[in-house]
Amino acid sequence: MYTSNFLNLILNVDSYKASHWLQYPPDTKYVSYYVEARNGNFDVVFFGLQAFIKEYLLTPISQQDIDEAEIVLNTHGLPFNRNGWQRLIEKYQGFLPLKIEAIPEGTVLPVSNVVCQIVNTDPEFFWLAGYLETALLRAIWYPSTVASISYFCKQKIKHALEQSADNLDGLLFKLHDFGARGASSLETVALGGLAHLVNFMGTDSVSALLAARRWYNATQMPAFSIPAAEHSTITSWGKERESAAYENMLKQFAGKDKMYAVVSDSYDLWNALENIWGEQLKNKVQVLGGTLVIRPDSGDPAEVICRTLTILENKFGSVVNNKGYKVLPSYIRLIQGDGINCHSIVSILASIMAHGFSIDNVSFGMGGGLLQQVNRDTMSWAMKASAVNIAGEWQDVYKDPITSRAKRSKKGLLALVKQQNQWQTISKQVLGEQENQLRTVFLNGQLLIDDDLETIRMRANSY
């Protein structure tokens, strides 16, 4: 019998990997692999490698791991490289003789560039780097894709604020992570939610806060949220007491410097805006202090947002800022969390400004579109072998399928250079005096670079 240890790195693998140690050419000494996003509509924001290294590569392989893996894989129908794993314990006490190079996390660069390179450092373990492909690629593609989408949205919101607002003071809170309940697992929320925090400081994914401390040395609170109503807390009062439900929110959460959100479309959003918020509770909203954030949660987002802003302006007034756009009083704002993704947000921003309103009035919440509606093909992530050392001689390794030029892979030992803000993946052989942007992050069981979240945020914000 075997236990079910999900942290057993030997079993954190695609089944066919277990047979690959028998498939390399005789006298293979080293095999080098690289990771890239081959194509896509977003720039790459590299993120997540440090989390993977800390969680999985700093703990040595144990005898129990080997014994368990042998039973599982043999019973599963595969050969098992017991001698190879045993030698890992004998020579390195279970730590991995690997070198991982990567660009600094938070770096923003175009697709089709190497972001990570991994090679064994002991020829006895030529099979080891390839064995990690399943776990390593997954550890990179998911948080990097989320960070890339979040960054894309940030740039679109920033541009809209530059057009329609007097300053960028609210930018870091303009896109809020609503994705926790729609994600596929707790680790997904932790990694994806944390990736979003590279760009923003608003989240309802508490797991991301813990991940920031666990993997990225966060000593201060990295993100914030506010009290907010959901439909159940409003509808439990009954339709006839809808105004009482809203008044209770004012009683519980209004006050100087406070902010609170109230979902307002449980029944008739337009009635809630026109008569309840705009008439019955108008005076209390104005005098109690703080900021009421009204949240619609259904309908066509652009249409609903613009009509809501128009009603609120009619009821509460507005001022025209220095850019010529209307801004509601500071005590009332809007958040749209339904139907938001990287595609819809662009047209929504344009529609808001076309109706004469500043983006200062509106924040967004993104759930599935941020953490779940992504996959490896969103940016065509891949990890491929690019060089092999046989009997002391390095040879290029690549694939070039005639049926798909898009899957052509890179050749040789790689380097990444940046000249005049232009990124280029080149062969290490022609690196010369140019600075290689790939840094050695992990070497033979040790993490060499341990960035904190603030450093990564500043790096991403510098592009």
Side-chain angles (χ1 to χ4, degrees):
M1 292 295 292
Y2 57 86
T3 58
S4 298
N5 180 11
F6 286 105
L7 296 181
N8 186 341
L9 187 64
I10 306 175
L11 295 176
N12 189 353
V13 68
D14 285 314
S15 299
Y16 75 154
K17 287 288 183 181
S19 67
H20 288 178
W21 61 288
L22 297 168
Q23 301 178 32
Y24 291 96
D27 212 16
T28 298
K29 303 296 185 183
Y30 302 94
V31 186
S32 182
Y33 293 76
Y34 73 96
V35 177
E36 70 170 334
R38 289 176 293 197
N39 55 64
N41 298 319
F42 315 105
D43 283 338
V44 175
V45 180
F46 182 66
F47 185 72
L49 176 61
Q50 182 171 298
F52 174 73
I53 291 173
K54 285 188 173 182
E55 192 69 18
Y56 295 101
L57 300 190
L58 300 186
T59 301
I61 298 297
S62 69
Q63 188 63 54
Q64 181 179 348
D65 291 335
I66 295 173
D67 294 342
E68 178 189 38
E70 182 175 35
I71 295 172
V72 171
L73 294 173
N74 282 169
T75 307
H76 187 46
L78 295 164
F80 180 65
N81 187 9
R82 184 177 183 92
N83 182 64
W85 292 106
Q86 286 293 161
R87 288 290 291 159
L88 196 71
I89 292 180
E90 293 168 10
K91 293 186 73 172
Y92 299 104
Q93 295 75 52
F95 291 101
L96 306 186
L98 295 169
K99 180 172 76 170
I100 301 176
E101 300 173 296
I103 59 173
E105 297 198 29
T107 299
V108 183
L109 75 167
V111 296
S112 299
N113 281 297
V114 57
V115 297
C116 178
Q117 190 164 232
I118 179 173
V119 64
N120 57 296
T121 58
D122 182 333
E124 188 173 351
F125 301 93
F126 64 89
W127 48 269
L128 185 56
Y131 195 92
L132 288 187
E133 178 187 355
T134 305
L136 179 60
L137 179 59
R138 185 176 57 225
I140 290 173
W141 82 253
Y142 175 68
S144 293
T145 300
V146 174
S148 301
I149 289 174
S150 175
Y151 180 84
F152 172 85
C153 293
K154 183 179 181 181
Q155 300 314 303
K156 295 301 181 182
I157 295 170
K158 180 182 179 182
H159 181 65
L161 283 171
E162 289 170 340
Q163 286 184 264
S164 69
D166 288 340
N167 55 64
L168 300 177
D169 291 351
L171 175 60
L172 296 183
F173 293 94
K174 282 297 182 184
L175 186 64
H176 203 84
D177 173 11
F178 281 176
R181 71 186 59 185
S184 57
S185 70
L186 177 62
E187 189 176 57
T188 302
V189 178
L191 285 169
L194 181 57
H196 172 66
L197 297 187
V198 170
N199 304 299
F200 290 95
M201 294 184 68
T203 188
D204 260 31
S205 293
V206 176
S207 303
L209 310 178
L210 307 181
R213 177 176 294 183
R214 181 180 181 92
W215 296 320
Y216 288 90
N217 309 309
T219 57
Q220 304 294 323
M221 178 54 62
F224 301 89
S225 188
I226 61 173
E230 68 174 21
H231 287 293
S232 71
T233 64
I234 299 300
T235 58
S236 61
W237 291 74
K239 185 175 182 179
E240 69 284 355
R241 300 180 65 205
E242 182 181 6
S243 61
Y246 298 156
E247 188 171 10
N248 180 65
M249 291 295 295
L250 293 170
K251 177 183 176 182
Q252 299 296 338
F253 303 113
K256 187 175 183 293
D257 298 325
K258 295 183 177 180
M259 183 174 288
Y260 53 101
V262 185
V263 64
S264 299
D265 73 329
S266 295
Y267 307 109
D268 183 343
L269 174 63
W270 315 124
N271 177 66
L273 296 171
E274 291 273 6
N275 298 315
I276 302 178
W277 291 121
E279 297 291 343
Q280 299 174 36
L281 301 178
K282 177 179 178 179
N283 186 61
K284 289 188 175 182
V285 170
Q286 293 172 323
V287 303
L288 288 178
T291 302
L292 163 66
V293 182
I294 291 177
R295 178 166 71 92
D297 194 44
S298 54
D300 177 79
E303 178 183 330
V304 169
I305 290 171
C306 294
R307 184 174 174 183
T308 296
L309 289 171
T310 300
I311 294 173
L312 293 176
E313 181 200 12
N314 290 338
K315 293 297 182 178
F316 294 93
S318 68
V319 296
V320 177
N321 65 16
N322 293 326
K323 299 290 180 63
Y325 289 85
K326 295 180 286 187
V327 183
L328 298 173
S330 61
Y331 54 77
I332 192 160
R333 288 292 182 265
L334 174 67
I335 186 168
Q336 177 67 32
D338 181 60
I340 302 301
N341 56 51
C342 58
H343 306 294
S344 67
I345 200 168
V346 176
S347 59
I348 292 169
L349 291 167
S351 183
I352 293 169
M353 292 188 294
H355 282 76
F357 289 98
S358 170
I359 304 303
D360 261 341
N361 296 293
V362 183
S363 296
F364 301 94
M366 191 183 297
L370 181 65
L371 300 191
Q372 196 65 23
Q373 294 168 16
V374 299
N375 55 51
R376 186 164 69 92
D377 292 333
T378 301
M379 301 180 73
S380 193
W381 285 94
M383 176 172 164
K384 299 297 179 185
S386 61
V388 60
N389 185 303
I390 300 175
E393 295 292 329
W394 281 102
Q395 303 174 24
D396 290 349
V397 174
Y398 65 98
K399 59 180 287 188
D400 189 11
I402 194 171
T403 51
S404 178
R405 295 300 184 189
K407 289 196 172 185
R408 178 186 298 172
S409 64
K410 292 176 168 53
K411 305 176 183 180
L413 296 173
L414 304 174
L416 180 70
V417 296
K418 183 183 182 184
Q419 294 181 336
Q420 299 178 338
N421 292 322
Q422 296 295 315
W423 295 88
Q424 185 179 8
T425 299
I426 63 174
S427 168
K428 272 190 176 180
Q429 291 180 329
V430 299
L431 182 62
E433 297 299 317
Q434 300 177 87
E435 181 183 359
N436 188 358
Q437 299 295 318
L438 299 177
R439 313 178 298 175
T440 301
V441 177
F442 176 87
L443 184 63
N444 299 336
Q446 291 188 314
L447 178 68
L448 302 185
I449 297 173
D450 192 2
D451 278 338
D452 58 51
L453 180 61
E454 286 307 312
T455 298
I456 294 168
R457 281 173 158 172
M458 288 188 290
R459 190 175 289 137
N461 194 51
S462 69
Y463 291 93

